[in-house]
Amino acid sequence: MVDAAAWPGAARTDLAGHSVGTLFFEDSTRTRSSFTLAAQRMGAHVVDCSGAGTSVSKGETIVDTALTIESMGVSALVVRCTPEDGVRAVADAVQCAVISAGAGAGEHPTQGLLDCLTIAREFDRDDAFDFSGLRLLIVGDLAHSRVAGSAVVGFTKLGGEVICCCPEEMTPGPPMASSLTIERDLDRVIQDVDIVMMLRIQMERGADPGSMNAYTKAYQLDARRAALMRDDAIVMHPGPMNREVEIASEVADGPRSRIWTQVRLGVPVRMAALLHCIQSTT
Ligand code: NCD
């Protein structure tokens, strides 16, 4: 799908005649737009039903909203919501395909897939997707990050090793904690990894960084720390970035950054996800 996602170019027609509903009950820039573009580039129509402008604000449940859009005729629903079990509840209620676009602090599967694709292409592992020998360091608010939830699942399933570096209060609990090593000293651990993934502090999910000064001093990826990394090591960030908090602009915009590659690869990953899920339910 990577070639097919190139734009401008001829769109594919695999999903011509299908409609896809995007139900976003939480804010989104990247994920919503790239699901929309992905559906369009596969030839599908998109109906967007998101956030404040919907009847959820009148008390309708997420499941009833999903049943409403499904009744109008869609082949797939793309759902982002705050309850961790919300996407599952929709999937249990409707007949069409349901794809998670991020469920609470739990999982964000297409982000995990696009992160793995970015890494596979960068380190020439995109033939067999064997990540053995690769070390991924995730830094920051793992406790509240669904991006980390899916990155850890994907990366370890492909044979890589995950290390996390964060303050005590942002340490992930089980089950994520069982598949990674926890470190506190970023200057030390950053020297010995292939990929550094920075995370935003998820204030809206109750994260409390305490003193912002102390947090940035200990965990911000700035130019001094980036210079400690291996020559071929890369920097990733799922976005949205809080520049000068978890990442300094000179690193975000610097030569190690693959942040815009991640965004770009989100479109083909979602084209593949839509095709796969719609084909397996229709
Ligand atoms: C994230 C999300 O919403 O889970 N962004 C994304 O989808 N790329 C990460 C975040 O909000 O920090």
Side-chain angles (χ1 to χ4, degrees):
M1 293 297 171
V2 174
D3 293 336
W7 200 260
R12 288 180 60 140
T13 52
D14 310 53
L15 295 180
H18 289 276
S19 295
V20 172
T22 51
L23 305 186
F24 278 67
F25 303 105
E26 262 186 27
D27 295 345
S28 173
T29 299
R30 278 148 285 270
T31 308
R32 188 166 74 193
S33 312
S34 71
F35 264 114
T36 300
L37 285 169
Q40 290 169 347
R41 286 176 197 176
M42 294 303 282
H45 292 286
V46 180
V47 57
D48 182 34
C49 182
S50 290
T54 71
S55 288
V56 170
S57 63
K58 300 180 187 171
E60 187 166 67
T61 65
I62 292 173
V63 167
D64 283 339
T65 304
L67 286 166
T68 301
I69 302 299
E70 187 193 31
S71 302
M72 296 176 195
V74 292
S75 305
L77 290 169
V78 176
V79 183
R80 167 174 287 192
C81 60
T82 302
E84 261 173 54
D85 58 357
V87 180
R88 164 57 52 197
V90 169
D92 288 343
V94 302
Q95 305 298 313
C96 67
V98 175
I99 303 178
S100 170
E107 292 187 350
H108 190 349
T110 55
Q111 180 72 41
L113 291 171
L114 75 87
D115 287 340
C116 287
L117 180 61
T118 304
I119 292 165
R121 285 167 65 89
E122 181 68 32
F123 294 95
D124 284 332
R125 307 291 178 104
D126 50 342
D127 44 354
F129 283 83
D130 177 357
F131 284 7
S132 47
L134 289 179
R135 304 183 87 212
L136 165 67
L137 173 65
I138 308 182
V139 184
D141 185 12
L142 280 92
H144 302 95
S145 172
R146 56 191 174 208
V147 170
S150 289
V152 171
V153 171
F155 199 81
T156 53
K157 204 179 177 76
L158 297 177
E161 184 191 347
V162 185
I163 303 138
C164 87
C165 188
C166 57
E168 192 76 44
E169 61 278 13
M170 294 181 185
T171 306
M176 204 203 294
S178 61
S179 47
L180 40 74
T181 316
I182 296 166
E183 294 276 351
R184 303 287 177 208
D185 182 351
L186 183 54
D187 283 5
R188 194 170 60 77
V189 73
I190 204 167
Q191 304 182 27
D192 203 22
V193 296
D194 303 286
I195 307 117
V196 179
M197 180 185 288
M198 301 305 299
L199 298 176
R200 183 178 66 87
I201 305 172
Q202 318 260 306
M203 304 282 197
E204 75 280 16
R205 299 191 201 290
D208 177 10
S211 149
M212 218 44 167
N213 263 347
Y215 183 85
T216 54
K217 200 158 174 264
Y219 298 103
Q220 185 190 78
L221 183 55
D222 57 12
R224 181 189 67 79
R225 286 201 169 109
L228 299 174
M229 292 168 61
R230 288 181 186 162
D231 287 348
D232 62 348
I234 60 166
V235 171
M236 295 172 64
H237 191 308
M241 288 186 272
N242 285 151
R243 288 174 179 258
E244 318 313 333
V245 179
E246 72 274 8
I247 190 165
S249 277
E250 51 197 327
V251 179
D253 301 329
R256 293 184 186 280
S257 171
R258 296 296 180 272
I259 294 168
W260 307 119
T261 307
Q262 290 173 266
V263 176
R264 184 170 56 79
L265 291 177
V267 177
V269 159
R270 289 167 178 132
M271 289 165 71
L274 284 164
L275 182 63
H276 175 79
C277 294
I278 289 175
Q279 277 180 342
S280 24
T281 42
T282 50

